[in-house]
Each structure stands twice: as C-alpha cells, then as structure tokens.
Amino acid sequence: MAIFANDAAPKDALTTVTGVPDHAFRGPRGNRRSGGRRIGSHVFLIILAIYFIVPIWWLFVAATKDTAGLFGSPAFWFDGNFAFFANVAELFTHQGGIYWRWLANSFLYAFAGGIGATILAILAGYGFAKYNFRGRNGVFGVILGSVMVPLTALVIPTFMLLSQYGIINTPWAVILPSLLSPFGVYLMRVYTQDAVPDEMLEAARIDGAGEIRTFFQVALPMLKPAIVTVLLLSVVGTWNNFFLPLAVLTDPQLLPVTVGLNRWTALSNAGAGGEQVWNLITSGAFISVIPLVLSFLFLQRYWQGGLAIGSIK
Amino acid sequence: MADHEASAHLFTTDRLDEETSMTTQTTAGPQPVATRRTSAPRSRGSRLERRRQRWGWLFVSPFLAVFALFLVFPLFYAFGMSLFTSTLATGTKFTGLGNYAKAFTDPLFLEGLLRVAAFAIVMIPAQLIVALAAALVLDSLTSWLSKLSRLLIFVPYAIPVVIGALMWSFLYSPKFGPSATLFTAVGLPTPDFLASDTVFGSLVNIVTWQWSGYYMVVIYAALRSIDPSIYEAARIDGANGWQTATRIKLPMISSSMVMVITFALIGTLQFFTEPVVLRNIAQGAIDAAYTPNMYAYSLAFSYSQFNYASAIAFSLGALVFAGSYLFLFLTRKQSGLK
C-alpha cells in the first residue's frame, strides 16, 4: 500500500517553501525513501550542513598554516606552506610545552569529574527508581528543581567555600563541584524505571542475592546505554566548563585547555610582541576538539538513544 | 525533563501533601505500613520494608552529599554573604537586603538583565526554528545524505563553547579575512561584525551554531518515537504535509519542545562564556557588565566585592529559577504536567 502511496503522490506536494517536507504521502516507517522526490529537502539539509561544518573546516585549514599564512592566504583553503607539524613542534616548546599540560589537565578533570558524576548518578537513579523509601518523592522533586538553578550562580559561593578549606587552585577545586549532575540522576532514574523490571530484582532476592549483588549483577548490565549517555554528557560538561576553572584556578600549570587557549588569545590580542601565537591558538584548538568529536562519532548509537530517554515518556 | 510522572511532584502540591501526610502517619505508630496509600514494591512485613527503605537511602546518599555540599550549601552561603557589606573603612557589617536594593537600582545590572532578556527573545526562537526545521526534514528522509547531515549538524555541540566562540571570533575578525574576502569579491564594503551595534547578532549566530544541533537530536528522537500508523490515518483523512507537521507532529512532541525551550532559557539567562571570549577581540563593543553573570564575575574577581557579587549572582539565580518555573507552569498543558 505504501508503494502505491509513493507512486500516487502528486508532484506539487513535494516540499513546501519553508523546507518542511510533505509527510502526507509517505508510507509507514521503513518506506521513507522516495528517490528524487526529496530534492528540496536535501538542498535545505545541504545548506544547513554547510553552515554547521564550515567553521570547523576553517579551523582544520587554519591549523595547517603559520602566522603569515593565517593573515595572507585564502581563509578556507590551504596555504602553500603546510605548517601543521611545525605548529605541533612549536606547541612542545612554547612556554615549556604548557599546551600539553593543559590538554592533560582537561583529560584529568573531565574524566575524574565525569566518571565520578556518572557513578553517583547511577546509584542515585537506581535508588530513586527501585526503592520506595519515605521522602523519596520530596527529595527527588528538590533535585529536579535544582536543574533550573544556574550553576554559574553557584561559582562565586563555591569559590569562597573552597578557599576557606584551602583547596582553591588545586585540581580538586574543579573536580569536586563537577561531581554534581542532577540531570544525570534524572536520566538514570527514568531509564532504570523502564529498563530494569521489578520482577527480576525480586527473583534475584529470592535466590538469596543481597541488595548490592542484585544491583551489580542484575541491574547494572541492563543500564549500559544510559550509563554511556550520562558519562558522555558529564565528561563533555566538565570538559566545556569555563566559568568554574576560570574562577578557582590561577596557576597557569593547572588550567584546562579551554581556559589556557582563551588566555593566549587575550595576550595575542593585547598585541604583546612575543605573545602573538595565532598559529598555536588555531592548531591547539584543532587538536583539542579531536577527542570529543571522535568520541561522539564512535558512541553515536548510544547517545542518540540515550538523549531520547530525557525527552520521551 | 518535563513530561515524566516524577516531575509532576514539582508542580502539583496535592501529591507533595500526600507525601508529607504519609510521613506523619508513618512516624505516628508501629502499624503505618499497612495504612500507606501508595503500595510499596512488595509489602512483606514492616521489618523487611524498613530495611529496604534504608537501602534506598544508602543508594541515593552519595549523590545527596555532593548535592548538599555543592548546591544547597553554596546557595545558602551566597544568600548569607549577600546580606553583609564589607568595606575597608567599616569592616564587615550586616546590611540586610541593602545589597538587593542596590542591585535592582544598579543601571549596570538592570542593563545586563534587559540584554539577556533581548537575547532570549531572539536567540531561543532562532535555535528552535533551525532545530525543528532540521529535525522535521531529517525525520522524512532516510538517505546517506540525511544521515551525514544529521551528524554534521550535531558536531558543533561536541566543540567546547570556548573553542566555538574562538573560531567565530577569528571568522568575524576583519584581520583574518574570510568575511573581508567574501564581501570585497562581490564589491561590497566589509561589515564589522564586532562593532557595538552588530555584536549582538554575531553572538546570536554563535549560540545558534553551537546548540541547534543538540536540540535537533532531542526533537528528532521524539519524532522517531511517534507511531507511523498515525501518519497513515492522517493521510487517509486527507491531511497534507503541513497539516501533519503542525497538527500531529508538533503536538505530539510538545513535551520535548518544552524541555528544549526550558534548557535554552536557562542557558540564555546565564549567558557568559561567548561574550567573555568575544570580548578579547571585540574591544569596546562588549563591556565587563555585558551580562549579569559577567557583571557578578568582574565584581567578585576584579573588584573583590564578594558580598555585592553574591547578591547579583543570587538575584540572577532566583530570576532564572522563577523564569523557567513560570514557563513550565504556563506550558503545563503542552508538556503533559497538568
């Protein structure tokens, strides 16, 4: 029937001017392709894709240029002088190779903060989903409401508190606040409710497994997609965080790569002769985006499903 | 975030009341478990039930500790700090709500608030239209090209905000030239994207570029979850594509739309990273109090006015909370919160 529907679609019902496709003549899912019909939609998508990818293409091209090339050659095409490896070599020597230190810091903060936040979210999500303890809904309501509290509004008091305990300007000042992920708890709870049947937990308990063993051997393996999503989101969240490290770290050796590169840009713009390192900023920025982009590409099927958890009931 | 049963507790007081009355009941005597209205997973005697309850608390307590330490406590601390004023001459002294009175008559803070409100009005629809249009088109196609575009549109989300803003500041810069080259090629004068009257649009563009892809994925996931037989029914009833999109798809994904708008609203009101990064390059067009968050940051870390900065940060937090709560309240029908 769907096949007929496709054939019967009149030509003027292809795609509206707004780029919204005509679904009325589409058959059920699985039969969505319809040859040349979708040209308008595809043109729209190509324009969008170009808009989203061109700045990244620019960064890729710029990373291969030296400073003279950055100013003197076409912005979206390679310079005759391929300077990428020279730039990388310079990254090892400029200010004692501090760039690599920043990159390592970013990895440390993102993984320590991200993994920690994920563990806490798994435990809490499981607790909220599978135990009907007193006060559960009240506490969960408060946590959910806290998603609306802007975390940047917490940075100033957090800075004051951490400085009182003397852990300002240490890696802990970034890692500890990053453990907080209310949205992760919410995602884990919603997912656990659906993915882990009560009957299976009950069966494990009847077989004599304790609560901890039930959690590790029965529940945990079923939560894999949600764990990957929450881990990815919290690692990205910490990696991207700018306000917190900017406020709590002053030692240049401790900065994550984002704050460090921003510092280089500020210095380069100030026009200080020896500090103009545009070529290092572009190649450093390019190298620093590779890990996250790759992990999103490789973990695609996990996070795409995982993000759906939050939006669909 | 908005449409699951648990969130209903935030908005329906009767359920919360039930919760409290339940607690008072249970503390009253030894037989409460039997009288509970919500059935426990399996009530097999109160001792087992009580042990289960303890396990529940054990599982959530590590998170609750972090929650108390890095969210609840800082909020109270910020509020407490905001009630004091400290000057070199008089030392620290209690001034009550004085800092708040000062904040809401401070033209720098009010200008910043108006500015983020203006950003919200322009930026949220911009992100939403791009994300929604892309998701609707992607939902109608299954070609390799659409799969590739879906990834390409999402990629900016994987770029750290600082790096994204840095990239755009290069692209905007007249010195580095892509815009200059493009405009001189067509014989037009090169616009200055970083002048004080154009920097607003330049920032909107950066945020749209960075976040639309993420929202697109959320909306797309919601669209994919709609049962296709509904489209078939609509088709038989003679609905055209536009009608299917506006009367079936949009209402069915309204809870995801509410979630996306709420996140965009929270993000926009605490706008910080992009203007801070652009400020390096757009000298003069963006001042230190461009957004309330930037103002609080510079008060605290450039002028050491921690008490007043706390009042600003706390006011902003309260406004963001009130704004998103109000939005969720107004859209409770669409989001299924009732």
Side-chain angles (χ1 to χ4, degrees):
Chain A
M1 169 167 189
I3 304 160
F4 296 124
N6 277 335
D7 293 337
K11 270 209 159 146
D12 56 356
L14 289 181
T15 306
T16 59
V17 198
T18 52
V20 177
D22 189 333
H23 292 284
F25 298 93
R26 179 182 70 187
R29 189 158 305 175
N31 200 1
R32 290 184 178 198
R33 63 200 162 71
S34 50
R37 289 260 165 67
R38 303 296 182 188
I39 290 171
S41 302
H42 274 121
V43 169
F44 173 74
L45 277 186
I46 291 169
I47 293 171
L48 268 190
I50 290 174
Y51 166 66
F52 283 98
I53 211 66
V54 153
I56 297 166
W57 169 255
W58 173 84
L59 183 66
F60 172 62
V61 169
T64 68
K65 296 176 182 174
D66 57 15
T67 304
L70 272 176
F71 288 95
S73 61
F76 294 110
W77 200 247
F78 299 95
D79 191 21
N81 173 17
F82 187 84
F84 180 69
F85 296 108
N87 288 343
V88 173
E90 203 184 333
L91 280 173
F92 275 105
T93 55
H94 187 71
Q95 295 183 357
I98 199 171
Y99 171 80
W100 303 100
R101 178 74 201 245
W102 289 342
L103 206 57
N105 290 340
S106 277
F107 272 102
L108 170 71
Y109 303 155
F111 280 95
I115 292 172
T118 308
I119 292 171
L120 296 180
I122 296 168
L123 291 173
Y126 180 73
F128 280 120
K130 294 298 163 192
Y131 292 93
N132 196 6
F133 53 90
R134 232 176 283 154
R136 172 178 76 162
N137 293 329
V139 173
F140 191 71
V142 171
I143 292 174
L144 207 62
S146 77
V147 173
M148 290 187 271
V149 174
L151 290 185
T152 44
L154 296 170
V155 166
I156 291 168
T158 303
F159 168 83
M160 299 297 285
L161 287 170
L162 292 176
S163 66
Q164 277 182 3
Y165 293 103
I167 48 174
I168 216 76
N169 216 5
T170 67
W172 293 112
V174 178
I175 294 170
L176 289 177
S178 304
L179 296 178
L180 182 75
S181 170
F183 187 60
V185 172
Y186 158 71
L187 280 183
M188 287 308 306
R189 180 193 170 153
V190 175
Y191 191 83
T192 309
Q193 251 160 2
D194 290 345
V196 183
D198 285 337
E199 292 75 18
M200 282 193 69
L201 301 180
E202 218 40 56
R205 283 167 186 149
I206 288 166
D207 288 348
E211 297 296 323
I212 291 183
R213 210 172 141 200
T214 309
F215 169 71
F216 276 106
Q217 295 194 340
V218 180
L220 208 53
M222 298 169 140
L223 297 174
K224 212 166 115 198
I227 292 172
V228 175
T229 308
V230 171
L231 184 66
L232 204 55
L233 289 180
S234 45
V235 166
V236 172
T238 318
W239 186 286
N240 276 338
N241 199 341
F242 179 66
F243 201 149
L244 181 71
L246 190 68
V248 298
L249 300 175
T250 48
D251 182 354
Q253 293 288 328
L254 292 177
L255 299 181
V257 70
T258 48
V259 180
L261 286 174
N262 185 54
R263 177 176 285 209
W264 275 359
T265 324
L267 287 173
S268 295
N269 258 300
E275 301 292 351
Q276 295 224 16
V277 285
W278 299 110
N279 60 325
L280 298 188
I281 294 169
T282 51
S283 48
F286 176 70
I287 293 168
S288 80
V289 303
I290 294 173
L292 281 193
V293 171
L294 284 186
S295 48
F296 268 106
L297 290 181
F298 282 116
L299 296 170
Q300 239 193 98
R301 65 196 177 99
Y302 287 107
W303 60 257
Q304 286 191 345
L307 281 181
I309 308 165
S311 63
I312 312 158
K313 164 77 188 175
Chain B
M1 178 188 94
D3 67 324
H4 52 101
E5 38 116 27
S7 74
H9 298 292
L10 257 185
F11 308 97
T12 55
T13 38
D14 51 334
R15 284 263 207 121
L16 283 176
D17 288 344
E18 188 184 45
E19 179 69 27
T20 4
S21 67
M22 219 165 73
T23 324
T24 32
Q25 268 177 23
T26 25
T27 44
Q31 71 281 59
V33 177
T35 62
R36 289 181 69 148
R37 269 175 287 168
T38 25
S39 62
R42 199 148 305 204
S43 29
R44 263 190 280 125
S46 64
R47 195 196 288 157
L48 182 64
E49 176 60 26
R50 231 176 291 139
R51 216 170 49 216
R52 282 280 169 78
Q53 294 224 353
R54 244 192 336 258
W55 274 106
W57 279 110
L58 273 178
F59 273 109
V60 301
S61 55
F63 175 79
L64 286 185
V66 172
F67 187 77
L69 218 58
F70 291 106
L71 196 128
V72 180
F73 191 50
L75 275 184
F76 280 101
Y77 191 80
F79 184 69
M81 261 190 0
S82 69
L83 300 178
F84 290 84
T85 301
S86 132
T87 56
L88 276 178
T90 58
T92 305
K93 91 182 170 208
F94 183 78
T95 45
L97 296 177
N99 279 328
Y100 291 91
K102 187 174 156 196
F104 283 96
T105 49
D106 183 342
L108 286 177
F109 179 55
L110 294 177
E111 270 168 39
L113 280 182
L114 280 182
R115 198 170 285 121
V116 288
F119 271 115
I121 290 168
V122 179
M123 212 142 73
I124 297 174
Q127 296 173 75
L128 218 61
I129 289 168
V130 174
L132 189 64
L136 283 169
V137 170
L138 284 171
D139 183 51
S140 71
L141 301 168
T142 42
S143 58
W144 64 268
L145 195 64
S146 70
K147 276 186 204 120
L148 179 69
S149 326
R150 199 170 76 217
L151 267 187
L152 294 185
I153 294 170
F154 180 78
V155 165
Y157 174 73
I159 310 266
V161 176
V162 174
I163 309 290
L166 271 181
M167 285 156 67
W168 278 103
S169 67
F170 273 97
L171 291 174
Y172 289 147
S173 159
K175 279 194 292 184
F176 293 93
S179 58
T181 325
L182 285 178
F183 280 90
T184 38
V186 259
L188 288 168
T190 314
D192 182 2
F193 294 105
L194 300 168
S196 45
D197 54 339
T198 49
V199 81
F200 184 92
S202 304
L203 283 166
V204 170
N205 176 53
I206 298 179
V207 173
T208 308
W209 177 82
Q210 188 110 46
W211 290 96
S212 297
Y214 176 78
Y215 297 142
M216 179 270 291
V217 168
V218 174
I219 297 171
Y220 175 77
L223 284 172
R224 298 303 286 187
S225 75
I226 299 176
D227 182 354
S229 63
I230 295 174
Y231 304 144
E232 191 69 6
R235 191 185 66 81
I236 290 165
D237 288 346
N240 66 28
W242 179 251
Q243 286 167 329
T244 316
T246 53
R247 307 232 182 114
I248 297 175
K249 296 194 170 189
L250 271 182
M252 291 200 72
I253 59 162
S254 61
S255 61
S256 300
M257 298 296 289
V258 168
M259 171 182 137
V260 163
I261 298 172
T262 311
F263 279 175
L265 187 68
I266 296 171
T268 307
L269 295 182
Q270 45 179 333
F271 208 23
F272 179 76
T273 308
E274 292 90 344
V276 165
V277 173
L278 226 53
R279 191 163 178 244
N280 287 332
I281 287 190
Q283 274 130 348
I286 297 176
D287 57 38
Y290 194 71
T291 71
N293 248 339
M294 287 172 72
Y295 188 38
Y297 179 84
S298 72
L299 279 174
F301 296 103
S302 308
Y303 300 99
S304 296
Q305 293 194 33
F306 284 99
N307 300 90
Y308 188 43
S310 294
I312 298 275
F314 197 84
S315 309
L316 178 69
L319 287 173
V320 172
F321 191 88
S324 35
Y325 194 94
L326 184 72
F327 175 73
L328 286 175
F329 180 76
L330 292 175
T331 56
R332 65 198 182 284
K333 264 206 196 97
Q334 287 76 27
S335 66
L337 285 172
K338 274 177 270 354

